[in-house]
Amino acid sequence: MDNSKSGKKFYSVKAIAIASFLATPIVSGYMLWHNYKVVGLKEIGKKYFACCVLFTVVLICILGSLPEQIQEKIPRQLVPVLYTGAIYGFVREKQNDLFYEHQTELDGYYGAGVCFLTMLPVLVLLIVLGICIVGML
């Protein structure tokens, strides 16, 4: 799995998309940040990570504020499929050329661990938001 050109390890486009679908866009932001950090573009990676965190918070707030009648009409997998498709296209467009030359993929279990660890704070955030909303009623 070592690459003779650079030996640097990156998350593949596919791994980023799968992690985004299974966890949240925050995971894809972390993975983008890691990939940019490896090639020395840490500041660009930080911006993408911040955008993914902001997008996730806004998405949770918007979906949480929709009336129940509308929420029930939206298929459960529609939103994750839409943002995963958008992230896949974005990553493929922005990172394919940048990392193609010296890409060696990280172990898939590492990506799965990142997904799991990222889901925990999001779950806590959802529980806190739920408690706050119930307390307001």
Side-chain angles (χ1 to χ4, degrees):
M1 215 184 249
D2 285 331
N3 189 332
S4 58
K5 291 184 182 181
S6 69
K8 297 176 182 177
K9 298 205 178 223
F10 298 90
Y11 290 105
S12 68
V13 175
K14 184 172 132 182
I16 293 171
I18 291 170
S20 175
F21 181 79
L22 293 176
T24 65
I26 294 174
V27 177
S28 59
Y30 170 79
M31 292 175 158
L32 285 167
W33 170 75
H34 172 82
N35 285 353
Y36 277 106
K37 182 179 80 166
V38 169
V39 292
L41 300 171
K42 191 175 181 180
E43 292 304 313
I44 294 173
K46 281 183 182 179
K47 289 177 185 176
Y48 285 132
F49 180 69
C51 288
C52 289
V53 170
L54 181 64
F55 174 76
T56 302
V57 170
V58 169
L59 185 67
I60 290 170
C61 290
I62 289 172
L63 292 175
S65 66
L66 291 175
E68 277 190 49
Q69 298 91 357
I70 294 174
Q71 287 181 7
E72 291 172 358
K73 291 180 182 178
I74 299 173
R76 298 220 183 271
Q77 295 303 322
L78 180 63
V79 174
V81 166
L82 290 176
Y83 70 67
T84 299
I87 289 170
Y88 178 81
F90 175 80
V91 173
R92 192 162 179 197
E93 177 71 27
K94 295 292 184 184
Q95 290 197 350
N96 228 17
D97 295 336
L98 184 62
F99 302 116
Y100 180 74
E101 233 176 76
H102 47 278
Q103 180 176 359
T104 302
E105 293 181 27
L106 282 167
D107 185 11
Y109 291 111
Y110 187 79
V114 171
C115 284
F116 178 74
L117 290 176
T118 305
M119 288 188 321
L120 291 177
V122 171
L123 181 62
V124 169
L125 175 67
L126 289 173
I127 290 170
V128 168
L129 286 173
I131 291 170
C132 290
I133 289 171
V134 168
M136 295 169 73
L137 298 176

